[in-house]
């Protein structure tokens, strides 16, 4: 709660003995404070899209961290795994992070602020983690390109998992 109070000391009020003060007036100034933030309460429901973004982001960011570590240390992405499931999870994770960042940028351009915090601040945390993941992607892919001259493609090759 934000409250503005007038100064309690009389040193801020004009003195009746001051030569420029011809009359003494006592007026009370009221301040009006307007909040630009949206009021939320516990009964507000989140959209299913927000919940999906939270779950997807909380799963995707560690997968991307694992993928980038593997790429930097071995020169290849994650192994395909049984039936290609790990490779598919890796690819979908990159798409989820790019989607969350795109949604955040769209929301920022339309409303002037990022995504809402969501329940327990998880959507805001996922938004921040997605931006950090995107930065890490750019750094590791850039280093990989400088070291190897290219980055691995989305499908397994003979060089990596052939």
């Amino acid at each position: 709660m934000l409250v503005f109070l007038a100064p309690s000391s009389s040193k801020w009020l004009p003195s009746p003995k001051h030569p420029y003060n011809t009359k003494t007036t006592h007026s009370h100034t009221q301040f009006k404070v307007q909040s630009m933030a949206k009021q939320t309460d516990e009964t507000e429901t989140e959209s299913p899209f927000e919940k999906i973004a939270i779950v997807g982001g909380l799963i995707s960011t560690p997968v991307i961290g694992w993928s980038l570590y593997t790429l930097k240390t071995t020169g290849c992405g994650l192994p395909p795994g049984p039936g290609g499931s790990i490779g598919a999870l890796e690819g979908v994770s990159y798409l989820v992070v790019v989607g969350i960042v795109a949604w955040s940028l769209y929301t920022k351009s339309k409303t002037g602020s990022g995504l809402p915090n969501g329940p327990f601040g998880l959507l805001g945390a996922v938004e921040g983690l997605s931006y950090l993941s995107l930065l890490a992607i750019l750094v590791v892919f850039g280093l990989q390109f400088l070291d190897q001259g290219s980055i691995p493609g989305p499908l397994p090759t003979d060089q990596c998992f052939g």
Side-chain angles (χ1 to χ4, degrees):
M1 181 174 170
L2 183 61
V3 178
F4 287 103
L5 298 175
S8 60
S9 172
S10 62
K11 71 178 183 178
W12 300 106
L13 298 175
S15 169
K17 297 179 183 178
H18 196 274
Y20 297 110
N21 189 8
T22 58
K23 68 178 191 175
T24 304
T25 60
H26 296 286
S27 66
H28 298 286
T29 306
Q30 292 182 347
F31 293 101
K32 182 177 180 183
V33 178
Q34 181 177 0
S35 172
M36 299 301 287
K38 184 176 123 180
Q39 294 291 332
T40 60
D41 56 0
E42 297 297 323
T43 60
E44 185 176 313
T45 59
E46 294 81 23
S47 71
F49 189 68
E50 288 179 8
K51 292 178 183 178
I52 291 170
I54 290 169
V55 171
L58 290 176
I59 294 171
S60 295
T61 51
V63 170
I64 288 177
W66 178 28
S67 170
L68 293 175
Y69 174 77
T70 305
L71 176 62
K72 187 62 185 142
T73 56
T74 67
C76 299
L78 295 177
S85 59
I86 296 176
L89 179 63
E90 178 185 23
V92 169
S93 294
Y94 280 95
L95 293 175
V96 166
V97 165
V98 169
I100 291 171
V101 168
W103 180 30
S104 171
L105 291 173
Y106 174 78
T107 304
K108 180 78 170 173
S109 70
K110 293 296 181 188
T111 64
S113 63
L115 298 177
N117 285 334
F120 305 108
L122 288 175
L123 187 57
V126 164
E127 179 184 17
L129 289 172
S130 295
Y131 277 104
L132 288 174
S133 295
L134 184 62
L135 178 64
I137 290 167
L138 294 174
V139 168
V140 172
F141 278 18
L143 292 173
Q144 180 72 18
F145 185 78
L146 291 175
D147 291 343
Q148 305 291 327
S150 66
I151 56 173
L155 299 175
T157 61
D158 292 337
Q159 177 188 357
C160 289
F161 305 108

